[in-house]
Amino acid sequence: MFLIVLILIIIGVNFIKSYNRLQALAQKVKSSNSDIKNAIFRKVELTNKLMEIAKGYANHEKLIFIKTSEDFSSAYKDSSESLAHLKSLSVHFPELKANENYLDLSEKITTNEDLIMERRDAYNMAAQSYNAERLKFPFVLFSSSLGFREAPYLDLESNQKIDEFTTDDGEIIKDIFRNAANTTTDFTKKGIEKIQKTAQNINKKEEVEDEEKEE
């Protein structure tokens, strides 16, 4: 009996360690996801400012401003296409190319592009570590059931839409323990009631026996 309890304790401790590690890795993926999204939205903001300047020199050109959306992969591609168009446009408008604000924004966009690449690599590394951990035995048997879905890798050049990476943040495991606690409480309550009822029956039986002896 003691050996069984010891084995269960060891399994429980290892499960908790694995769960906490996977949860920490999932939070790292979410943080990296947020970082790259912010950098891409910064690119969109800078690109729109650049187009605002370009409008003053090429008002006959159809410049489409980029809308910010949760699909940051599309936002990245749209801003890149707009920048390519602005670059070709500046060739025909030397005054635009020489504009100080235009040059300043162009430099900021270049710096931000480097930041995006760094954050993309950081995100993919975080996703790789997380995905590898969730596939380790025995956690692979129930990682999906506990809300740990696979983290998608980020390829900004593809046409694939990158969804926001989410996990249940421990809600599933909380529900499991909550239900287990409720079940245990109900079981204990019923057990106590049964013991009390048995005790009452014994007392009644003893009272009857005492009465019979007195007679």
Side-chain angles (χ1 to χ4, degrees):
M1 182 66 181
F2 174 77
L3 183 60
I4 295 175
V5 172
L6 181 61
I7 292 173
L8 290 175
I9 291 174
I10 293 173
I11 292 173
V13 170
N14 287 332
F15 171 82
I16 292 171
K17 285 183 178 179
S18 297
Y19 180 87
N20 288 340
R21 174 166 172 74
L22 197 56
Q23 194 66 263
L25 290 172
Q27 295 305 318
K28 178 64 176 176
V29 174
K30 291 179 185 179
S31 176
S32 299
N33 183 284
S34 179
D35 287 344
I36 191 169
K37 183 169 70 173
N38 290 337
I40 289 174
F41 288 166
R42 173 63 174 163
K43 179 180 181 179
V44 170
E45 178 187 358
L46 293 172
T47 302
N48 283 336
K49 287 182 178 180
L50 203 64
M51 286 196 290
E52 191 66 46
I53 294 174
K55 278 179 63 179
Y57 294 87
N59 53 17
H60 63 283
E61 290 284 340
K62 187 177 181 181
L63 299 175
I64 301 175
F65 288 84
I66 307 162
K67 294 181 179 180
T68 302
S69 68
E70 287 303 312
D71 184 6
F72 56 88
S73 182
S74 294
Y76 176 82
K77 286 181 288 186
D78 291 343
S79 58
S80 295
E81 290 173 1
S82 295
L83 287 172
H85 178 61
L86 286 172
K87 186 176 181 180
S88 63
L89 195 66
S90 65
V91 175
H92 303 288
F93 295 92
E95 301 89 351
L96 171 62
K97 199 172 183 180
N99 183 286
E100 289 186 7
N101 290 333
Y102 181 89
L103 292 173
D104 180 58
L105 284 171
S106 296
E107 186 176 344
K108 288 180 179 178
I109 288 172
T110 300
T111 302
N112 191 71
E113 187 68 24
D114 292 337
L115 181 62
I116 289 173
M117 294 300 105
E118 290 176 8
R119 291 184 174 180
R120 177 204 60 188
D121 293 342
Y123 168 83
N124 284 335
M125 287 180 64
Q128 183 181 32
S129 297
Y130 164 81
N131 288 333
E133 188 69 22
R134 72 182 289 276
L135 291 177
K136 287 183 179 179
F137 186 84
F139 218 81
V140 65
L141 301 176
F142 41 80
S143 57
S144 296
S145 300
L146 292 177
F148 292 104
R149 69 182 185 88
E150 183 180 3
Y153 292 100
L154 185 58
D155 181 6
L156 295 173
E157 303 302 326
S158 72
N159 293 320
Q160 179 185 4
K161 179 180 177 181
I162 304 298
D163 296 324
E164 189 81 12
F165 174 72
T166 58
T167 60
D168 79 307
D169 289 330
E171 291 304 317
I172 293 178
I173 199 73
K174 288 177 185 176
D175 287 340
I176 291 174
F177 280 111
R178 193 180 297 117
N179 292 334
N182 291 337
T183 301
T184 302
T185 301
D186 292 341
F187 180 79
T188 303
K189 186 177 179 181
K190 289 179 180 178
I192 292 173
E193 289 175 351
K194 189 173 182 179
I195 292 172
Q196 289 175 339
K197 189 174 182 180
T198 302
Q200 289 174 356
N201 291 335
I202 292 173
N203 289 335
K204 287 181 180 179
K205 186 177 180 181
E206 289 177 349
E207 289 175 359
V208 171
E209 289 177 351
D210 290 341
E211 289 176 358
E212 290 177 349
K213 287 180 181 179
E214 290 177 359
E215 292 177 356

